[in-house]
Every structure is written in C-alpha cells, then in structure tokens.
Amino acid sequence: MKFSTTISFSRRRLLVFGLDVVLIGLAFVFAFLLRFDFTVPAALLPLFRQGLLVSLMIKPLVFLFSGLYRNLWRYASLQDGVEIAKVVTASTVISGFVLMYLRHFAPYPRSIFILDWFLLLALIMSSRLVWRVYRETVIMPRRNTVGQRTLIVGAGEAGSLLLKEIRRQQDSAFNIVGFVDDDPQKTGMKLHGITVLGTTKELARLIGSYSIEDVIIAIPTAAGNAMRDIVKSCEHCKVRFKTLPAISDIIEGKISISQIKDVDICDLLGRDPIELDQAAIRNYLEGKRVLVTGAAGSIGSEICRQVARFNPAKLVLLDSAETPLYQIEKELSETHPDMRLAPVLADIRQAGRLDYVFETFLPEVVFHAAAYKHVPMIEYNPVEAVTNNIMGSRLLAEKASAFGVQNFVMISTDKAVNPTNIMGASKRAAELFVQALARESQTNFTTVRFGNVLGSNGSVIPLFKEQIAAGGPVTVTHPDVIRYFMTIPEASQLVLQAGCIGNGGEIFVLDMGEPVKIVDLAEELISLSGLTPHEDIEIVFTGLRPGEKLYEELLVAGEGVKPTVHHKIKVLESVEYDLGTIVAAVDKLVIAAASADTREVMDSLQQLVPEFSPQYSPDSVTQTLRKLRPDIFVK
C-alpha cells in the first residue's frame, strides 16, 4: 500500500469517497450492535459515540492518502482486492490506536475492532463488486448491441480477454452474439454471459442461423490447417473475418488484444510461437560488442532488432545500402535510445575497410547476413556471387578469426543443398570455407541453414500482393513447385539461439515445418484479398526460372542430423575439410571471377562443390545472357 499526498477528485470519485464514508460509519455501528446483540447498554453510549467519531475522522483520511481512489474499478482484479484489504486494515489499526490513546489506554472491547474490520472490508469490496456486475451485465451489453453481429472463434483465455476489451469500448464496432470453439464439451456453456453456440465445424451453419456479419478468430496458436478451415467457412458465407495480433506482441505490451487485424498468410501457415532460452542468449550477447553484416536487409535488420533486446554494449550495423542502413539505424535509435549504435557503410569484399571496422569496434560476436540471394539475378551475374557470397564471406571470417571474435554465425540457405544454381553453390562454398576455418581458429564459427522467409525483400509474398493489387494475373513458375517457409522474426530468433549452442564448425538446420505449394500460397493470398482465385484473379504458370528446382532440400548426402537442446534446431554431423584445399579452390574461383570468365567460374565452383549441378554450361557472360534472356539481344 502506497500513501500519496496528491489528491485529485473527479465528480465520480467524490461520490465514491462519500459512499465509503457512509460505509465506514455503518460498519462501526453494526459492529457495536452485533457485539451487544443489538441492545447497547446506556452506560456504553458515550463509548459508542467516541468510537464512531474517531472512525469517521481517521479512516476517511487513511482512505484518501492511500491512493485508493486512483484505481480504475472497471478493471478491478484480485490485486485491487488485496489493496482494499491493506487500506481497511491500516485504517482500523490507526483508528484503534487513536481511540485507545484518547481513552488513556483503558480497556475497549476488542471484538468490536475485529467485527468493524470484517464488516468494513465486506462493505467496501461489495460496493465495488456490485458496480462492476451492474456495469458488465446491464450497461455494457446494452451499449454493444448496435455494432456488427459478431462471432468469436475460441472460447478460451484469448476469447475471454477479447470480449472484455470489446465491452469496455464506448462505441464498439462489434456486437458479440456468441462463441464458437473446437471443444464440443463447451457447447451450450456461457463465458461472461455469452453462449458457446457450437463447434468450429458448425461455423458455416451458425453464421447463417444467427445472421453473423463479422467473425473474429481468437486462437493465437491455431494450427495452419485449422485456420485455413475457419477462413474457408467465412469466405463461403461471405462474412468479414479478422484475427488477434501475435500473442508475443500482446505480452510485450506492443499492442492491445483489442487491436484486431486482418488474417494474413502467416496466420494460415500456422507457425508455432518460438520459445527461446533467453538466459543462454543473454549470456553471450549482453554487454558484448556485436557486428551484424547485411544489417539493412530483411533478415539482418530483424537480427539487429532481436540483438538489441539483450542489451549489447555496442551494436555495429554494416551494410553497403545507404538508405536502408539509415532507416534501421533511425528505428533502433528511437526504440533503444540508450544503446550505442554504429552504422557503417561498407562492402564485405573490401579487406581494408573490414580491417578498419574490426580495429575500431573490436566486435566479440558477428552475425553474417550479407549476401546476394536472388536466384535468377545471380544466374545473370555469376561473378558477383563469387566475389560477394564467397570472397566476401571468406574475408569477413578471416578477419573475425584474426581479431579474436568469440562467436561468428553465418546465415546460409536450403539452396546450398545439392545446388542447381550459382547462388546456392556460392553459399555452399561459403559454408565449406567457414567449416574448414573453424578447425584452425579459436573463434566459434557456426552456420545456420534455413529456407524461404515470408515477407523478405524480393520474396514471393510481396510480389503476389503487388500482382493482386494490379488486378492480376498472379504468376507462378510451376503448379508443383514447393518451398519451405518461416517468418522473419522466427528465423532471426532461431539464429540467435543457434549462436549459443554451437561449439564450432557445425551447420545448424532450422525446423521449417511442412513445405507449402506455391500455387496454394497464391490462392490463399487472393482469397484473403476478398477475391476468388481463377475467377477474379487469374493464376498463370510461367515455367521454372533459371537455376530453380521444383523443391528444396535441407541436407547434403552424408550429413547426419542430430537433435540439439532446442527442439526447433537440428545440427548436422560435422564433416572435416582441409583448410588448405578449400583456400586453394577459393583462390582459383576469385581469379576466374576477376577475369569475368564464366566457364572458368562454373568449372571452379563444381570442383569446390561437387554436388553442384548447373542447368547449363555457359561459355561467357554474354553467351549466358543470350541463352537466359534472348529478348535482350533482339534488334
């Protein structure tokens, strides 16, 4: 209980205070009457009047200065009840001592104090309870009958909180008609006075029977299949549907549970929330100097956001893209004003520039996310893949080892497994170099391999959204093409987790869940936009692009998979590579790239990455472009 000397009364709180004064008097009167079986001896009337006067003078002052009237009783909880008990107890003890002092500590019936405390506590709590019951059963339901007729899917904790938030709003857009839940045992039961009308399997029928206009999905952890079934029922009945924000954002206080959002493709994929070993991550990030390359990219910027949560001593943001680097630096400066940030414009292919970065900032942990990643673009520009993805990664890893970096985590891709394109082959080459260097270095080198990331720059989701907004068509390369997907925060959080698991030289593979057909993804996005696939928006198959496969893999032949301490991260059995052999092969690649000899680049890549199976054998950059994009050379 905290006492405050600042008292500011609104008219409503003045009325509450006045009611409490009356209840203080009533509690003392009834305590006295109960003590003497409602027949107070005439000799004790002066004692009664003195006790009543002391109670009415002392207890209201205690109530005032306790801060009791700063509480919002419409949101009253168990903790508020505890506060009331503290205030009532303090006021009873203080008034008792004052009364005994005035009587020169002559005996006073102790049972009166006990009865007074019990009655006052019951009356004060009851007054709050009666108001809340009246408000929630009479005022709020009457207030919320003008909004859209709405069903809440999920009669659990999230649904309960959502209903309370909606009822608290003065002009809510939702008139809650009932609940729907996947548990049939809840059917017919009531939650805060609202009936559970049926199960999710009956959703379509219930929408029609109760003239429902809106459906709110209050199941933050719903699996993708369950979410898709609910959405399809809503689409079939042509009603609006929304869902709650991510439960992690609600817990962290970023947004309120009442901030209902449209269902998006991430909800339909049903990715489970990540449970991180916060203590282990904090142990190797807190108070450390951290460098993130590719800090302005989709993955790199999210890694920066996640790292910032663990209070690093310094966060160095390295990227060659000026405007995106400015944007992430500005964002982090606003969200973490006390954190030491160092935005560095640099290219990882420049050895002298990397020397400056390592000498100046002395990073202890490095997250290497800088890479060229777009498969068709790299097919047109193989030299850049070699210089950036391979030579740049090699330079960065060598500098990290030379300057005594403790942890080095490189981001890789599932396209590095049995690659059919230059991008995948270049990332596999970088994996091999880092694994080989790990055997000779004191730095803890680890690699994290995962698939496609939803919403990352240049990924399929933003492209589909642009095509839908333009009225179509939506272009899909092949009806059978499938990909693994995960969200940007999920991938970045698991990268941080993997960084504290490895002992050096391992390749970690993230649990990507079940693969998704790209055509299904396109159809879901069209439906979420309120349109009908193949009718309102056409889907056109354009054929696989240069270097693309129908499906991606996560393992190279011979790589055994073992579990780690985190259920969503697997580690591949370490394969030993000779550093000298790898260095010689990379040197040969760099020479070929410097001469822009595409055939030599491809031959050298295949020697370094034997599982690389290119879809063509170009003789030069020009001939490659002639084969891949003949339209460019049409006169």
Side-chain angles (χ1 to χ4, degrees), residues 245-257 259 302 305-306 309 331 335-336 489 493:
I247 201 71
S248 58
D249 290 336
I250 297 171
I251 293 171
E252 292 175 8
K254 295 178 183 177
I255 49 182
S256 164
I257 196 167
Q259 290 178 270
E302 184 61 27
R305 296 183 191 99
Q306 298 293 338
R309 296 171 47 219
E331 176 191 328
T335 55
H336 299 82
Q493 289 169 12

Side-chain angles (χ1 to χ4, degrees), residues 383 386-387 391 587-597 601:
V383 170
V386 171
T387 59
M391 188 185 79
D587 286 341
K588 185 177 179 181
L589 258 174
V590 172
I591 293 171
S595 63
D597 187 335
V601 166

Side-chain angles (χ1 to χ4, degrees), residues 143-301:
R143 176 190 297 164
N144 291 296
T145 56
V146 295
Q148 302 288 332
R149 293 178 62 81
T150 304
L151 274 182
I152 295 178
V153 179
E157 184 67 26
S160 170
L161 291 172
L162 176 63
L163 177 61
K164 289 179 181 179
E165 285 292 324
I166 289 173
R167 283 181 164 181
R168 286 168 182 157
Q169 295 172 4
Q170 289 285 348
D171 299 306
S172 174
F174 305 104
N175 171 23
I176 305 303
V177 174
F179 283 97
V180 173
D181 199 271
D182 56 2
D183 183 358
Q185 295 185 357
K186 291 183 180 180
T187 300
M189 300 183 73
K190 291 191 174 185
L191 181 60
H192 304 305
I194 301 296
T195 305
V196 179
L197 301 175
T199 65
T200 50
K201 293 181 180 179
E202 304 172 277
L203 181 58
R205 178 184 64 80
L206 294 171
I207 289 172
S209 300
Y210 290 90
S211 303
I212 299 302
E213 299 167 283
D214 283 321
V215 172
I216 304 174
I217 305 167
I219 318 175
T221 57
N225 290 335
M227 183 68 80
R228 282 193 288 272
D229 290 342
I230 293 169
V231 168
K232 284 179 181 177
S233 295
C234 295
E235 290 172 344
H236 175 73
C237 297
K238 300 189 185 313
V239 296
R240 292 180 294 271
F241 53 94
K242 295 182 179 293
T243 188
L244 297 184
I247 201 71
S248 58
D249 290 336
I250 297 171
I251 293 171
E252 292 175 8
K254 295 178 183 177
I255 49 182
S256 164
I257 196 167
S258 62
Q259 290 178 270
I260 301 162
K261 67 183 184 72
D262 291 330
V263 176
D264 62 26
I265 201 68
C266 296
D267 298 315
L268 298 184
L269 287 176
R271 302 294 296 177
D272 295 330
I274 299 294
E275 295 180 5
L276 298 178
D277 185 347
Q278 304 277 349
I281 298 174
R282 188 174 300 280
N283 186 52
Y284 88 104
L285 288 182
E286 188 172 36
K288 300 293 179 63
R289 299 178 296 276
V290 181
L291 166 66
V292 180
T293 71
S298 305
I299 298 296
S301 61

